[in-house]
Amino acid sequence: MPAGTDEGGSPREGGDPASSAPALTEESIEAHVAQALEAIARAGDLDGLKEVRLAHAGDRSPLALANRAIGGLPGPEKAAAGKLVGQARGRVNQALGRRQQELEAERDERILVEEAMDLTVAPGRRPLGRRHVLTVTAERMADAMVGMGWEIAEGPQVEAEWFNFDALNFDKDHPARQMQDTFFVEPAKAGLVLRTHTSPVQARSLLERGVPLYVAVPGKTFRTDELDATHTPVFHQLEGLAIDEGLTMAHLKGTLDRLAEAMFGAGIVSRLRPAYFPFTEPSAEMDFRCFVCRGEPTATPCRTCGGTGWIEWGGCGMVHHNVLRACGVDPERYQGFAFGMGVERTAMFRHGIADMRELIEGDVRFNAQFGMEI
Ligand code: PHE
């Protein structure tokens, strides 16, 4: 665009208004309108229409210039010229508005089609795996012990009879050695069993690590039980063994109370009930107050604790001198305590799982509810 034509009324242009003023005849205005309408109709999208609008209705469009030139006309001609140009601009603006609406509607429709999502399509993502609730529970128990400064130890699941029984002061004719309780591994003379508890790791740890000793042993254990709501032939325990100078039953109780709190929350009420194990003396079972009935009388016996008001958690006691001796530890100088808590029971009571079989059946719908703990 040549300099000077864009600034209507500028001093340079003002010198000769007649020569640069647009023609204000009906034909020329009609021609501008026709051009504009044709360009509007041709505009294929909103960007194109924007350009058309600038060219035919913008400040420098022929009709805008014509409008500006009206001011320079002799007085009597102004009204007619104003009407002519005003109507022309009105027609162009209307056509622009209509085309704008059409093109917007077209765009909206296209977006709906192009960006449509099929909400019924099967997701491509594979479901996240979950850690089994027993794994998570055992780990949490072990973590609580580590938090108290204990070490973690492990032992084999196929265990020497000597570690599983003899080192733990079981008599040769103790009933636990009978076929009906213990899985023996063939050939019989190999002296191997599937460990019936995690306690053999007591002897292993004492022999391997010496004293003083604080170890926790999470692990799998086996007994010839039928699978039902409260028994399973494969189960898990968390063993604890502390051997040091001057340990008493009070340390045992304090340790188990802390472990119970870590698993079940503060304010857990526990009791030690006299029991018998060949490898501890005195021995006890640890129970805690049933968290469903809290020991209060109920109309029908509480299903969680069987109406006793207490839930059995595991066995414990002061380590028998014979065990210490079998592992080369002087019982006059060192004493200690041990315990073995059921991981299944812990998981069941932590999560309100009523039937032990759910823990082993491997139904993903069951498993998926757990294993998200952090
Ligand atoms: N090993 C015993 C059981 O399986 C539990 C226990 C562990 C008892 C340690 C006393 C000390 O029942």
Side-chain angles (χ1 to χ4, degrees), residues 253-293:
K253 178 141 174 32
T255 305
L256 284 179
D257 282 348
R258 291 294 85 70
L259 179 60
E261 261 173 29
M263 299 313 294
F264 307 110
I268 196 103
V269 177
S270 69
R271 71 173 183 186
L272 290 179
R273 179 167 42 85
Y276 172 77
F277 300 101
F279 40 96
T280 48
E281 182 59 38
S283 303
E285 295 270 2
M286 190 202 191
D287 302 334
F288 45 78
R289 258 279 175 241
C290 175
F291 53 84
V292 175
C293 70

Side-chain angles (χ1 to χ4, degrees), residues 43-300:
D45 55 31
L46 288 165
D47 283 343
L49 189 64
K50 201 169 165 188
E51 276 169 32
V52 172
R53 183 189 305 276
L54 204 66
H56 293 277
D59 280 353
R60 292 161 200 176
S61 62
L63 287 174
L65 296 180
N67 194 49
R68 240 175 271 160
I70 293 171
L73 290 176
E77 292 173 28
K78 277 188 184 163
K83 191 175 168 197
L84 178 67
V85 176
Q87 280 177 350
R89 297 179 89 198
R91 282 164 65 200
V92 171
N93 281 332
Q94 265 181 20
L96 278 169
R98 272 197 305 274
R99 188 71 186 134
Q100 174 84 17
Q101 271 180 12
E102 277 169 23
L103 289 174
E104 276 175 6
E106 263 177 48
R107 178 203 55 194
D108 290 351
E109 217 158 289
R110 198 176 55 245
I111 284 177
L112 278 181
V113 173
E114 281 173 3
E115 299 184 5
M117 280 186 283
D118 182 353
L119 300 181
T120 65
V121 165
R125 263 185 284 152
R126 270 189 283 163
L128 271 186
R130 298 275 195 277
R131 304 173 71 220
H132 194 273
V133 63
L134 286 178
T135 313
V136 175
T137 306
E139 232 170 61
R140 211 182 170 101
M141 293 170 83
D143 271 359
M145 300 310 296
V146 169
M148 288 188 254
W150 292 44
E151 292 172 26
I152 301 297
E154 284 183 329
Q157 294 172 12
V158 177
E159 180 59 284
E161 231 179 302
W162 188 83
F163 277 114
N164 196 80
F165 294 127
D166 300 79
L168 297 174
N169 200 34
F170 279 80
D171 277 351
K172 281 279 170 236
D173 53 0
H174 190 280
R177 297 205 192 213
Q178 301 304 300
M179 287 300 215
Q180 54 265 40
D181 285 327
T182 305
F183 288 111
F184 286 85
V185 178
E186 295 201 319
K189 63 176 185 320
L192 292 175
V193 297
L194 297 188
R195 67 180 177 192
T196 59
H197 48 183
T198 41
S199 299
V201 190
Q202 288 187 23
R204 287 182 172 273
S205 305
L206 276 172
L207 289 169
E208 276 167 27
R209 305 186 189 202
V211 284
L213 181 71
Y214 293 82
V215 284
V217 186
K220 215 183 263 299
T221 48
F222 309 83
R223 280 180 210 173
T224 58
D225 285 324
E226 290 293 329
L227 178 61
D228 64 24
T230 52
H231 294 90
T232 149
V234 182
F235 57 106
H236 300 78
Q237 292 185 328
L238 179 88
E239 189 86 10
L241 173 69
I243 304 292
D244 207 335
E245 292 179 63
L247 289 183
T248 71
M249 205 121 182
H251 296 109
L252 164 62
K253 178 141 174 32
T255 305
L256 284 179
D257 282 348
R258 291 294 85 70
L259 179 60
E261 261 173 29
M263 299 313 294
F264 307 110
I268 196 103
V269 177
S270 69
R271 71 173 183 186
L272 290 179
R273 179 167 42 85
Y276 172 77
F277 300 101
F279 40 96
T280 48
E281 182 59 38
S283 303
E285 295 270 2
M286 190 202 191
D287 302 334
F288 45 78
R289 258 279 175 241
C290 175
F291 53 84
V292 175
C293 70
R294 301 192 179 281
E296 309 284 343
T298 47
T300 53

